[in-house]
Amino acid sequence: MTDTTDSPAGTAPAATALVVGATGTTGRRTAAGLVAAGCRVRAAGRNATPLPGTEPVRFDWYDPATHAGALDGADRVYLVPPVGDPDPAAVMLPFLQRARTAGVRRAVLLSSSAVPEGGPAVGLVHAALPGLFDAWAVLRPSWFMQNFTGTHAHAESVRSHGTFLTAAGDGRIGFVDAEDIAAVAVRALLDDRAPDTDLVLTGPQALSHDEIAAVLTEVTGRPVAHHRLSYAQLRDRLAGQVAPEFAAMLAGMDLAIAEGAEDRTTDTVLRLTGRPPTGFRAVAERELAARS
């Protein structure tokens, strides 16, 4: 792999990246990073929302009529799966086969540290990716720090009630900054050699939800508490918002956290970007202190 400290490393003069989910938490940041590196970016979304330096294109996973136009001229693609779909492979794999035929040679997929290759949901797309593209990477970030600062249900609950709910108990997570995920995505898309593997991304420290609440309290100056639910309580609560099988899967992820499945950190961000990952306090201060 090329020296990742050189921001334009490996960028082909004619490189064109399609960023699916370009207005989302990682997509927006990835698009900005690609533009800064001199890459042509097609910013794909249902509303074709303009983003600085990009070409907005309409794209809907569930509307194949939008796929050919979005792929036009792209030789690499950043893939954010359809949100809340328990079987994303059903719509993603036909699109990826079409992308390969259209000339895409490198694909970077956003997955999750909780979903292994061949596992449920996007794990099936992960398993198919190496057979579809000459160059590829699967990003498997831990839980986003932005879940507590952005538009996630936890953040909304913190703002409205000063609380958030999980079934994770005392389990620790190597929460990761979305800016770091995007920085790795840019390198995976632009470096001369793609990673051709899956990459587990974490922040510098594994934290419990109680510790997250304590940092939020200190940074915002307002009391924030973590309220604990059982697996069944969280599953039933989520079932009012998403499909029952997806609710069970999400609640199961919290149960796995409680049992220690996410209590780890990795050096992936440092290896791929040349800089250490950002800690949660720094992210909270960056994104919340100004609002308090």
Side-chain angles (χ1 to χ4, degrees):
M1 187 168 291
T2 58
D3 183 354
T4 56
T5 61
D6 296 329
S7 60
T11 309
T16 298
L18 174 67
V19 177
V20 174
T23 60
T25 302
T26 67
R28 173 167 49 86
R29 292 169 168 87
T30 298
L34 290 168
V35 169
C39 182
R40 180 185 174 210
V41 176
R42 295 174 64 77
R46 288 184 178 180
N47 299 315
T49 302
L51 295 175
T54 72
E55 304 169 32
V57 293
R58 184 168 178 271
F59 177 87
D60 185 337
W61 281 115
Y62 303 101
D63 183 1
T66 67
H67 295 177
L71 287 165
D72 186 27
D75 61 359
R76 61 202 70 204
V77 60
Y78 178 67
L79 301 158
V80 176
V83 177
D85 190 332
D87 183 23
V91 293
M92 293 186 73
L93 292 182
F95 169 77
L96 293 177
Q97 290 161 356
R98 186 171 192 170
R100 170 73 188 204
T101 301
V104 171
R105 291 296 176 264
R106 183 181 300 209
V108 175
L109 170 68
L110 180 68
S111 182
S112 165
S113 62
V115 180
E117 179 181 3
V122 75
L124 297 177
V125 183
H126 177 169
L129 212 63
L132 286 168
F133 298 99
D134 301 332
W136 61 278
V138 177
L139 308 189
R140 296 178 57 209
S142 187
W143 270 244
F144 294 6
M145 294 177 180
Q146 279 71 17
N147 287 358
F148 302 97
T149 66
T151 59
H152 188 275
H154 286 341
E156 297 287 358
S157 183
V158 166
R159 285 191 286 268
S160 299
H161 309 295
T163 63
F164 60 93
L165 313 171
T166 84
D170 292 321
R172 294 176 181 272
I173 300 173
F175 291 99
V176 62
D177 182 7
E179 296 281 357
D180 290 335
I181 299 169
V184 171
V186 169
R187 295 272 51 88
L189 286 161
L190 297 185
D191 280 345
D192 289 336
R193 291 183 57 193
D196 295 335
T197 189
D198 67 315
L199 302 165
V200 176
L201 312 179
T202 75
Q205 182 182 17
L207 298 169
S208 71
H209 284 93
D210 287 349
E211 290 169 321
I212 290 287
V215 172
L216 292 172
T217 297
E218 293 168 8
V219 170
T220 65
R222 301 189 303 271
V224 176
H226 167 221
H227 285 184
R228 302 175 182 218
L229 302 178
S230 68
Y231 162 82
Q233 287 172 324
L234 181 60
R235 179 199 61 204
D236 294 346
R237 187 181 187 92
L238 291 171
Q241 307 164 32
V242 299
E245 64 270 24
F246 196 56
M249 185 181 79
L250 292 175
M253 288 181 176
D254 267 24
L255 184 59
I257 292 167
E259 295 171 348
E262 294 295 326
D263 190 356
R264 59 180 167 178
T265 59
T266 69
D267 67 350
T268 308
V269 172
L270 176 61
R271 285 191 295 106
L272 269 289
T273 70
R275 59 172 176 76
T278 308
F280 181 67
R281 181 178 294 275
V283 170
E285 290 174 345
R286 183 181 77 208
E287 301 187 9
L288 294 177
R291 304 180 195 173
S292 59

